[in-house]
Amino acid sequence: MSYPANRPDPRRPEDAAAGIDVTEDFERFSQRNDVFTRAMWDDRVKSRQTQAFFASYRMEATPRRGDGFSQRDFALRNASWLISDVMTNRHAADGRREGFQAPISNDTPVAPQQIDIDDPARMSTEIKRIARFFGADLCGITGMDERWLYTARVDVRDMTEAPLGLPEGMTSVIVLGHEMEADLVATYPSALAGAATGREYSHEAAVVMQLAAYVRNLGYEATASMNDTGLVIPYAIQAGLGEYARNQMVITPQFGPRLRFSKIFTNLPLAHDVARPLGVRAFCDICTRCADACPVKALPYGPPSTETANVSAIRGVRKWTSDAEKCFSFWAKLSSDCAICMRVCPFNRDYSKRRHRLWLKLALSPLRKLALRFARTHGARTKPADWWANG
């Protein structure tokens, strides 16, 4: 298999089961055009405010009046990112911001001798067990789909495109889900809530690197990946972990939208999971809670569409698509990430509780309108001061 070809065969027989609708206009996405990377080179996005946003994740945060934006809140958020930042910055001088604009380097070699695998299904079960051992909350496995690979990585020294660097012959993608702290998510928008994001990036960096090292020690290629190399959302859907929603997130039966995802590209012989549509699309068709709550109206109303004028959106996929520039402009204004859409999503629940499992069953049934009515007061914001007080 050779990477990349910018216009691979756009449609696959398994797309329908995954709820993926690719058109003849499909083009693979250049990571140089994601809105975070554009904020580093594109004057249509880049500004003093966006530069201050990035700087705030170092020691340059400016605490301000307002619950959730004190020095203590920024301190916790930035500390939560530490492990991810250490990993990400270790090869930045060589142009590789790993986990974000470049795949994560192999810290261990591939063992010279491969273990024999005569049962890929059993091997998949083992991989999922080891993923849980290292701390992943979810694990699914899908086939390698080059449509979702970026056309190139980004050399952060000059923000130019560089070869992706993914070894050829990869046959599977192991997708890992990492639950975000529900009590912190409830405080969005705030710098405090950003600690939920940072903690999982630091967690997933460790988990994905350790699991990839395990695979390499078995004698097979394994490239650990976070936001780099390819679009994780379609891989997560194809791996049966959840369904795509209006808020641009994957809704899972275990945690709703409250996850970060990482992935491993590998040639380890594995059985693949299948997509499991449960009815999220039908619920999102009648629910606009996320779009209603978005302060800058960056989320779409109406049905999924292929129409987008935004450079930071993939072409040729019929889906709900946000206005990434509006969204990121609000992040920059906050000097922190915003996930109001995650907080207010009716699927954002604690499914260890029976009443929420019953609500989920109702939401995924023909009685979804009743479930939406029951969720009308769901997702209220918790004051960040209350989070600190309740510790």
Side-chain angles (χ1 to χ4, degrees), residues 142-227:
T142 187
M144 179 65 185
D145 190 333
E146 69 275 12
R147 294 177 299 177
W148 315 128
L149 294 177
Y150 295 133
T151 56
R153 71 171 180 88
V154 179
D155 186 323
V156 294
R157 291 171 296 189
D158 57 10
M159 306 313 295
T160 58
E161 292 189 337
L164 201 58
L166 187 65
E168 293 193 4
M170 299 302 207
T171 54
S172 297
V173 184
I174 303 166
V175 186
L176 307 175
H178 313 271
E179 181 192 6
M180 296 171 66
E181 169 63 46
D183 290 342
L184 282 173
V185 168
T187 70
Y188 273 112
S190 67
L192 174 64
T197 303
R199 189 190 74 170
E200 292 321 307
Y201 271 114
S202 287
H203 280 182
E204 72 177 80
V207 173
V208 75
M209 292 170 70
Q210 289 172 309
L211 184 58
Y214 175 73
V215 174
R216 289 194 294 272
N217 278 311
L218 299 181
Y220 295 87
E221 290 280 1
T223 298
S225 170
M226 289 166 39
N227 288 2

Coordinates of all heavy atoms in Angstrom, one line a residue, residues 142-227:
T142 N -10.4 -1.3 13.5 CA -11.0 -1.2 12.2 C -9.9 -1.4 11.2 O -8.7 -1.4 11.5 CB -11.7 0.1 12.0 OG1 -12.4 0.1 10.7 CG2 -10.7 1.3 12.0
G143 N -10.3 -1.6 9.9 CA -9.3 -1.8 8.8 C -8.7 -0.4 8.5 O -9.2 0.6 8.7
M144 N -7.5 -0.5 7.9 CA -6.8 0.7 7.4 C -7.6 1.3 6.3 O -7.9 0.6 5.3 CB -5.4 0.3 6.9 CG -4.6 1.5 6.4 SD -4.3 2.6 7.7 CE -3.5 3.9 6.8
D145 N -8.0 2.5 6.4 CA -8.8 3.3 5.4 C -8.0 4.5 5.1 O -8.0 5.5 5.8 CB -10.2 3.6 5.9 CG -11.1 4.1 4.9 OD1 -10.6 4.7 3.9 OD2 -12.3 3.9 5.0
E146 N -7.3 4.5 3.9 CA -6.5 5.6 3.6 C -7.2 6.9 3.3 O -6.6 8.0 3.2 CB -5.6 5.3 2.4 CG -6.3 5.1 1.0 CD -6.9 3.8 0.8 OE1 -7.0 3.0 1.8 OE2 -7.3 3.5 -0.3
R147 N -8.5 6.9 3.1 CA -9.3 8.1 2.9 C -9.1 9.1 4.1 O -9.2 10.3 3.9 CB -10.8 7.8 2.7 CG -11.1 7.0 1.5 CD -12.6 6.7 1.4 NE -13.0 5.9 2.5 CZ -14.3 5.5 2.7 NH1 -15.2 5.9 1.9 NH2 -14.6 4.7 3.8
W148 N -8.9 8.6 5.3 CA -8.9 9.4 6.4 C -7.5 9.9 6.8 O -7.3 10.6 7.7 CB -9.6 8.8 7.6 CG -10.9 8.1 7.2 CD1 -11.3 6.8 7.5 CD2 -12.0 8.7 6.5 NE1 -12.5 6.6 7.0 CE2 -13.0 7.7 6.4 CE3 -12.2 10.0 6.0 CZ2 -14.2 7.9 5.7 CZ3 -13.4 10.2 5.3 CH2 -14.4 9.2 5.2
L149 N -6.5 9.4 6.1 CA -5.1 9.9 6.3 C -5.0 11.3 5.8 O -5.5 11.6 4.8 CB -4.1 9.0 5.6 CG -4.0 7.5 6.1 CD1 -3.0 6.8 5.2 CD2 -3.5 7.5 7.5
Y150 N -4.2 12.1 6.5 CA -3.9 13.4 6.0 C -3.0 13.3 4.8 O -2.3 12.3 4.6 CB -3.2 14.2 7.1 CG -4.0 14.6 8.3 CD1 -3.5 14.4 9.6 CD2 -5.3 15.1 8.1 CE1 -4.3 14.7 10.7 CE2 -6.1 15.4 9.2 CZ -5.6 15.2 10.5 OH -6.4 15.5 11.6
T151 N -3.0 14.2 3.9 CA -2.2 14.2 2.7 C -0.7 14.4 3.1 O 0.2 14.0 2.3 CB -2.6 15.3 1.7 OG1 -2.5 16.6 2.4 CG2 -4.0 15.1 1.2
A152 N -0.4 15.0 4.2 CA 0.9 15.3 4.6 C 0.9 15.7 6.1 O -0.1 16.0 6.7 CB 1.6 16.4 3.8
R153 N 2.1 15.6 6.7 CA 2.2 16.2 8.1 C 2.7 17.6 7.9 O 2.9 18.1 6.8 CB 3.2 15.4 8.9 CG 4.7 15.5 8.5 CD 5.6 14.8 9.6 NE 7.0 14.9 9.2 CZ 7.8 15.9 9.6 NH1 7.3 16.9 10.2 NH2 9.0 15.9 9.2
V154 N 2.9 18.3 9.0 CA 3.3 19.7 9.0 C 4.6 19.8 9.7 O 4.8 19.4 10.8 CB 2.2 20.6 9.7 CG1 2.7 22.1 9.7 CG2 0.9 20.5 9.1
D155 N 5.6 20.5 9.0 CA 6.9 20.8 9.6 C 6.7 22.1 10.3 O 6.5 23.2 9.7 CB 7.9 20.9 8.5 CG 9.3 21.1 9.0 OD1 9.5 21.8 10.0 OD2 10.3 20.6 8.4
V156 N 6.7 22.1 11.6 CA 6.4 23.2 12.4 C 7.5 24.3 12.4 O 7.3 25.4 13.0 CB 6.0 22.9 13.9 CG1 4.7 22.0 13.9 CG2 7.1 22.1 14.6
R157 N 8.6 24.0 11.8 CA 9.7 25.1 11.7 C 9.2 26.2 10.8 O 9.5 27.3 11.0 CB 11.0 24.4 11.3 CG 11.6 23.5 12.3 CD 12.8 22.8 11.8 NE 12.4 21.9 10.7 CZ 13.2 21.0 10.2 NH1 14.5 20.9 10.7 NH2 12.8 20.1 9.3
D158 N 8.6 25.8 9.7 CA 8.2 26.8 8.7 C 6.7 26.6 8.2 O 6.2 27.3 7.3 CB 9.1 26.8 7.5 CG 9.2 25.4 6.8 OD1 8.4 24.5 7.2 OD2 10.1 25.3 5.9
M159 N 6.0 25.6 8.9 CA 4.6 25.3 8.6 C 4.4 24.8 7.2 O 3.3 25.0 6.6 CB 3.7 26.5 8.9 CG 3.9 27.1 10.3 SD 3.9 25.8 11.6 CE 2.2 25.2 11.5
T160 N 5.4 24.2 6.6 CA 5.2 23.6 5.2 C 4.8 22.2 5.4 O 4.9 21.6 6.5 CB 6.5 23.7 4.4 OG1 7.6 23.0 5.2 CG2 6.9 25.1 4.2
E161 N 4.3 21.6 4.3 CA 4.0 20.2 4.3 C 5.2 19.3 4.2 O 6.2 19.7 3.6 CB 3.0 19.8 3.2 CG 1.7 20.5 3.4 CD 0.6 20.0 2.4 OE1 1.0 19.5 1.3 OE2 -0.6 20.1 2.6
A162 N 5.2 18.1 4.9 CA 6.3 17.2 4.8 C 5.7 15.8 4.7 O 4.5 15.6 5.0 CB 7.1 17.3 6.1
P163 N 6.5 14.8 4.2 CA 5.9 13.4 4.1 C 5.3 13.0 5.4 O 5.8 13.2 6.5 CB 7.2 12.6 3.7 CG 8.1 13.6 3.1 CD 7.9 14.9 3.8
L164 N 4.2 12.2 5.2 CA 3.5 11.8 6.4 C 4.3 10.9 7.4 O 4.2 11.0 8.6 CB 2.2 11.0 5.9 CG 1.1 10.9 6.9 CD1 0.5 12.2 7.3 CD2 -0.1 10.0 6.3
G165 N 5.1 10.0 6.8 CA 6.0 9.2 7.6 C 5.4 8.0 8.2 O 6.0 7.4 9.1
L166 N 4.3 7.6 7.7 CA 3.6 6.3 8.1 C 4.2 5.2 7.3 O 4.2 5.2 6.1 CB 2.1 6.4 7.9 CG 1.3 5.3 8.5 CD1 1.4 5.3 10.0 CD2 -0.2 5.5 8.1
P167 N 4.7 4.1 8.0 CA 5.2 3.0 7.3 C 4.2 2.3 6.4 O 3.0 2.3 6.7 CB 5.6 2.0 8.4 CG 5.8 2.8 9.6 CD 4.8 4.0 9.4
E168 N 4.6 1.8 5.2 CA 3.7 1.1 4.3 C 3.3 -0.2 4.9 O 4.0 -0.8 5.8 CB 4.3 1.0 2.9 CG 4.5 2.3 2.2 CD 4.8 2.2 0.8 OE1 4.8 1.0 0.3 OE2 5.0 3.2 0.1
G169 N 2.2 -0.8 4.4 CA 1.8 -2.1 4.8 C 0.9 -2.1 6.1 O 0.6 -3.2 6.6
M170 N 0.5 -1.0 6.6 CA -0.4 -1.0 7.7 C -1.7 -1.5 7.3 O -2.3 -1.1 6.3 CB -0.5 0.4 8.3 CG 0.8 1.0 8.8 SD 1.6 0.0 10.1 CE 2.6 1.3 10.9
T171 N -2.3 -2.4 8.1 CA -3.6 -3.1 7.7 C -4.7 -2.7 8.7 O -5.9 -3.0 8.4 CB -3.4 -4.6 7.7 OG1 -2.8 -5.0 8.9 CG2 -2.4 -5.0 6.5
S172 N -4.4 -2.3 9.9 CA -5.4 -2.0 10.9 C -5.1 -0.7 11.7 O -4.0 -0.2 11.7 CB -5.4 -3.2 11.9 OG -5.8 -4.4 11.3
V173 N -6.2 -0.2 12.2 CA -6.1 0.9 13.1 C -6.8 0.6 14.4 O -8.0 0.2 14.5 CB -6.8 2.2 12.5 CG1 -6.6 3.4 13.4 CG2 -6.3 2.5 11.1
I174 N -6.0 0.6 15.5 CA -6.6 0.4 16.9 C -7.0 1.8 17.4 O -6.2 2.7 17.5 CB -5.5 -0.2 17.8 CG1 -5.0 -1.5 17.2 CG2 -6.0 -0.4 19.2 CD1 -3.7 -2.0 17.8
V175 N -8.2 1.9 17.8 CA -8.7 3.2 18.2 C -9.0 3.1 19.7 O -9.7 2.2 20.2 CB -10.0 3.6 17.5 CG1 -10.5 5.0 17.9 CG2 -9.8 3.6 16.0
L176 N -8.5 4.1 20.5 CA -8.6 4.1 21.9 C -9.5 5.3 22.4 O -9.3 6.4 21.9 CB -7.3 4.1 22.6 CG -6.2 3.1 22.1 CD1 -4.9 3.3 22.8 CD2 -6.7 1.7 22.5
G177 N -10.4 5.1 23.3 CA -11.2 6.2 23.9 C -10.8 6.4 25.3 O -10.5 5.5 26.1
H178 N -10.7 7.7 25.7 CA -10.3 8.1 27.0 C -11.3 9.1 27.6 O -11.5 10.2 27.1 CB -8.9 8.8 26.9 CG -7.9 8.1 26.0 ND1 -7.1 7.1 26.5 CD2 -7.7 8.1 24.6 CE1 -6.3 6.6 25.5 NE2 -6.7 7.2 24.4
E179 N -11.9 8.7 28.6 CA -13.1 9.4 29.2 C -12.6 10.7 29.9 O -11.6 10.7 30.6 CB -13.8 8.6 30.3 CG -15.0 9.3 30.9 CD -15.5 8.7 32.1 OE1 -14.9 7.7 32.6 OE2 -16.6 9.1 32.6
M180 N -13.3 11.8 29.6 CA -13.0 13.1 30.3 C -13.8 13.2 31.6 O -14.9 12.6 31.7 CB -13.4 14.2 29.3 CG -12.5 14.3 28.1 SD -13.1 15.5 26.9 CE -12.8 17.0 27.7
E181 N -13.2 13.9 32.5 CA -13.8 14.0 33.9 C -15.1 14.8 33.8 O -15.2 15.9 33.4 CB -12.8 14.8 34.8 CG -13.4 15.2 36.1 CD -13.8 14.1 37.0 OE1 -13.0 13.1 37.1 OE2 -14.9 14.1 37.5
A182 N -16.2 14.1 34.2 CA -17.5 14.6 34.0 C -17.8 15.9 34.8 O -18.4 16.9 34.4 CB -18.6 13.6 34.4
D183 N -17.2 15.9 36.0 CA -17.5 17.1 36.9 C -16.7 18.3 36.4 O -17.2 19.5 36.6 CB -17.0 16.8 38.3 CG -17.9 15.8 39.0 OD1 -19.0 15.6 38.6 OD2 -17.5 15.2 40.0
L184 N -15.6 18.1 35.7 CA -14.9 19.3 35.1 C -15.6 19.7 33.8 O -15.7 20.9 33.6 CB -13.5 18.9 34.8 CG -12.5 18.9 36.0 CD1 -11.1 18.3 35.6 CD2 -12.3 20.3 36.6
V185 N -16.0 18.8 33.0 CA -16.8 19.1 31.8 C -18.0 20.0 32.1 O -18.4 20.9 31.3 CB -17.2 17.8 31.0 CG1 -18.2 18.1 29.9 CG2 -15.9 17.1 30.4
A186 N -18.6 19.7 33.3 CA -19.8 20.5 33.7 C -19.5 21.9 33.9 O -20.4 22.7 34.0 CB -20.4 19.8 34.9
T187 N -18.2 22.3 34.0 CA -17.9 23.7 34.3 C -17.5 24.5 33.0 O -17.1 25.7 33.1 CB -16.7 23.8 35.3 OG1 -15.5 23.4 34.6 CG2 -17.0 23.0 36.5
Y188 N -17.6 23.9 31.8 CA -17.4 24.6 30.6 C -18.4 25.7 30.4 O -19.6 25.6 30.7 CB -17.5 23.7 29.4 CG -16.2 23.0 29.0 CD1 -16.1 21.6 29.2 CD2 -15.1 23.7 28.5 CE1 -14.9 20.9 28.8 CE2 -13.9 23.0 28.2 CZ -13.8 21.7 28.3 OH -12.7 21.0 28.0
P189 N -18.0 26.9 29.9 CA -16.6 27.3 29.5 C -15.8 27.9 30.7 O -16.3 28.8 31.3 CB -16.9 28.3 28.4 CG -18.1 29.0 28.9 CD -19.0 28.0 29.6
S190 N -14.6 27.4 30.9 CA -13.7 27.9 31.9 C -12.3 27.3 31.7 O -12.2 26.3 31.0 CB -14.2 27.5 33.3 OG -14.1 26.1 33.5
A191 N -11.3 28.0 32.2 CA -10.0 27.4 32.2 C -9.9 26.2 33.0 O -9.2 25.2 32.7 CB -9.0 28.5 32.7
L192 N -10.7 26.1 34.1 CA -10.8 24.9 34.9 C -11.2 23.7 34.1 O -10.6 22.7 34.2 CB -11.7 25.2 36.1 CG -12.0 23.9 36.9 CD1 -10.8 23.5 37.7 CD2 -13.1 24.2 37.9
A193 N -12.2 23.9 33.3 CA -12.7 22.8 32.5 C -11.7 22.3 31.5 O -11.6 21.1 31.2 CB -14.0 23.2 31.7
G194 N -10.8 23.2 31.1 CA -9.7 22.8 30.2 C -8.8 21.7 30.8 O -8.1 21.0 30.1
A195 N -8.8 21.6 32.1 CA -8.0 20.5 32.7 C -8.6 19.1 32.4 O -7.8 18.2 32.4 CB -8.0 20.7 34.3
A196 N -9.8 19.0 32.1 CA -10.4 17.7 31.6 C -9.8 17.3 30.3 O -9.5 16.2 30.1 CB -11.9 17.8 31.5
T197 N -9.6 18.3 29.4 CA -9.0 18.0 28.1 C -7.6 17.7 28.3 O -7.1 16.7 27.8 CB -9.2 19.3 27.2 OG1 -10.6 19.6 27.1 CG2 -8.6 19.0 25.8
G198 N -6.8 18.5 29.0 CA -5.4 18.3 29.1 C -5.0 17.0 29.8 O -4.1 16.3 29.4
R199 N -5.8 16.7 30.9 CA -5.5 15.4 31.6 C -5.6 14.2 30.6 O -4.8 13.3 30.7 CB -6.5 15.2 32.7 CG -6.1 14.1 33.6 CD -7.2 13.7 34.7 NE -8.3 13.1 34.0 CZ -9.3 12.5 34.7 NH1 -9.3 12.6 36.1 NH2 -10.4 12.0 34.1
E200 N -6.7 14.2 29.7 CA -6.8 13.1 28.8 C -5.8 13.1 27.7 O -5.4 12.0 27.3 CB -8.2 13.0 28.3 CG -9.3 12.7 29.3 CD -8.8 11.6 30.4 OE1 -8.3 10.6 29.9 OE2 -8.8 11.9 31.6
Y201 N -5.3 14.3 27.3 CA -4.2 14.2 26.3 C -3.0 13.7 27.0 O -2.2 12.9 26.3 CB -3.9 15.7 25.8 CG -4.8 16.0 24.6 CD1 -5.7 17.0 24.6 CD2 -4.6 15.3 23.4 CE1 -6.5 17.3 23.5 CE2 -5.3 15.7 22.3 CZ -6.3 16.6 22.3 OH -7.0 17.0 21.2
S202 N -2.7 14.0 28.2 CA -1.5 13.4 28.9 C -1.7 11.9 29.1 O -0.8 11.1 29.0 CB -1.3 14.1 30.2 OG -0.8 15.4 30.0
H203 N -2.9 11.5 29.5 CA -3.2 10.1 29.7 C -3.1 9.3 28.4 O -2.4 8.3 28.3 CB -4.6 9.9 30.2 CG -4.8 10.1 31.7 ND1 -5.9 10.0 32.4 CD2 -3.8 10.5 32.7 CE1 -5.7 10.2 33.7 NE2 -4.5 10.6 33.9
E204 N -3.7 9.9 27.3 CA -3.7 9.1 26.1 C -2.3 9.0 25.5 O -2.0 8.1 24.8 CB -4.7 9.7 25.1 CG -4.3 11.0 24.4 CD -5.3 11.5 23.4 OE1 -6.3 12.1 23.8 OE2 -5.0 11.3 22.2
A205 N -1.5 10.1 25.7 CA -0.1 10.0 25.2 C 0.6 8.8 25.8 O 1.3 8.0 25.1 CB 0.7 11.3 25.6
A206 N 0.4 8.6 27.1 CA 1.1 7.4 27.8 C 0.5 6.1 27.3 O 1.2 5.2 26.9 CB 0.9 7.5 29.3
V207 N -0.9 6.0 27.2 CA -1.5 4.8 26.9 C -1.2 4.4 25.4 O -0.9 3.2 25.2 CB -3.1 4.9 27.0 CG1 -3.8 3.7 26.5 CG2 -3.4 5.2 28.5
V208 N -1.3 5.3 24.5 CA -1.1 5.0 23.1 C 0.3 4.6 22.8 O 0.6 3.7 22.0 CB -1.6 6.1 22.2 CG1 -0.7 7.3 22.1 CG2 -1.9 5.6 20.8
M209 N 1.3 5.3 23.5 CA 2.7 4.9 23.3 C 3.0 3.6 23.9 O 3.8 2.8 23.3 CB 3.6 6.0 23.9 CG 3.5 7.3 23.2 SD 4.3 8.7 24.1 CE 6.0 8.2 23.9
Q210 N 2.4 3.3 25.1 CA 2.7 2.0 25.7 C 2.1 0.8 24.9 O 2.7 -0.2 24.7 CB 2.1 2.0 27.1 CG 2.9 2.9 28.1 CD 2.3 3.0 29.4 OE1 1.1 3.3 29.5 NE2 3.0 2.8 30.5
L211 N 0.9 1.0 24.4 CA 0.3 -0.1 23.7 C 1.0 -0.3 22.3 O 1.2 -1.4 21.9 CB -1.2 0.2 23.4 CG -2.0 -0.9 22.7 CD1 -2.0 -2.2 23.4 CD2 -3.5 -0.4 22.4
A212 N 1.4 0.8 21.7 CA 2.2 0.6 20.5 C 3.5 -0.1 20.7 O 4.0 -0.9 19.9 CB 2.5 2.0 19.9
A213 N 4.2 0.2 21.9 CA 5.4 -0.4 22.2 C 5.2 -1.9 22.4 O 6.0 -2.8 22.1 CB 6.0 0.2 23.5
Y214 N 4.0 -2.3 23.0 CA 3.7 -3.7 23.2 C 3.6 -4.4 21.9 O 4.2 -5.5 21.7 CB 2.4 -3.8 24.0 CG 1.9 -5.3 24.1 CD1 2.5 -6.1 25.0 CD2 0.8 -5.7 23.3 CE1 2.1 -7.4 25.1 CE2 0.4 -7.0 23.5 CZ 1.0 -7.9 24.3 OH 0.6 -9.2 24.5
V215 N 2.9 -3.8 20.9 CA 2.8 -4.4 19.6 C 4.2 -4.5 18.9 O 4.5 -5.6 18.3 CB 1.9 -3.6 18.7 CG1 1.8 -4.1 17.3 CG2 0.4 -3.6 19.3
R216 N 5.0 -3.5 19.0 CA 6.4 -3.6 18.4 C 7.2 -4.7 19.1 O 8.0 -5.4 18.4 CB 7.1 -2.3 18.5 CG 6.5 -1.2 17.6 CD 7.4 0.0 17.5 NE 7.6 0.7 18.7 CZ 6.8 1.7 19.2 NH1 5.7 2.1 18.4 NH2 7.0 2.3 20.3
N217 N 7.0 -4.9 20.3 CA 7.7 -6.0 21.0 C 7.2 -7.4 20.6 O 7.9 -8.4 20.8 CB 7.6 -5.8 22.5 CG 8.6 -4.8 23.1 OD1 9.8 -4.9 22.8 ND2 8.1 -3.9 23.9
L218 N 6.1 -7.4 20.0 CA 5.6 -8.7 19.4 C 6.1 -8.9 18.0 O 5.9 -10.0 17.4 CB 4.0 -8.7 19.3 CG 3.3 -8.5 20.6 CD1 1.8 -8.6 20.4 CD2 3.7 -9.7 21.6
G219 N 6.9 -7.9 17.5 CA 7.5 -8.0 16.2 C 6.8 -7.4 15.0 O 7.0 -7.7 13.8
Y220 N 5.8 -6.5 15.3 CA 5.0 -5.9 14.3 C 5.1 -4.3 14.3 O 5.4 -3.8 15.4 CB 3.5 -6.3 14.4 CG 3.3 -7.8 14.2 CD1 3.5 -8.7 15.2 CD2 3.0 -8.3 12.9 CE1 3.3 -10.1 15.0 CE2 2.9 -9.6 12.7 CZ 3.0 -10.5 13.7 OH 2.9 -11.9 13.5
E221 N 4.9 -3.7 13.2 CA 4.9 -2.2 13.1 C 3.8 -1.7 13.9 O 2.6 -2.2 13.9 CB 4.8 -1.7 11.7 CG 6.0 -2.0 10.8 CD 7.1 -1.0 11.1 OE1 7.0 -0.1 11.9 OE2 8.2 -1.1 10.4
A222 N 4.0 -0.6 14.6 CA 2.9 0.1 15.4 C 3.3 1.6 15.5 O 4.3 1.9 16.2 CB 2.7 -0.5 16.7
T223 N 2.5 2.4 14.9 CA 2.8 3.9 15.0 C 1.7 4.5 15.8 O 0.5 4.5 15.5 CB 2.7 4.5 13.6 OG1 3.8 4.0 12.8 CG2 2.9 6.0 13.7
A224 N 2.1 5.1 17.0 CA 1.2 5.7 17.9 C 0.8 7.1 17.3 O 1.6 7.8 16.8 CB 1.8 5.9 19.3
S225 N -0.5 7.5 17.5 CA -1.0 8.7 16.9 C -2.1 9.3 17.8 O -2.9 8.6 18.4 CB -1.6 8.4 15.5 OG -2.3 9.4 15.0
M226 N -2.1 10.6 17.9 CA -3.2 11.3 18.6 C -4.0 12.2 17.6 O -4.8 11.6 16.9 CB -2.5 12.2 19.8 CG -2.0 11.3 20.9 SD -0.9 12.0 22.2 CE -1.6 13.6 22.5
N227 N -3.7 13.5 17.5 CA -4.4 14.3 16.5 C -3.7 14.3 15.2 O -4.2 15.0 14.3 CB -4.5 15.7 17.1 CG -5.5 15.9 18.2 OD1 -6.1 14.9 18.6 ND2 -5.7 17.1 18.7

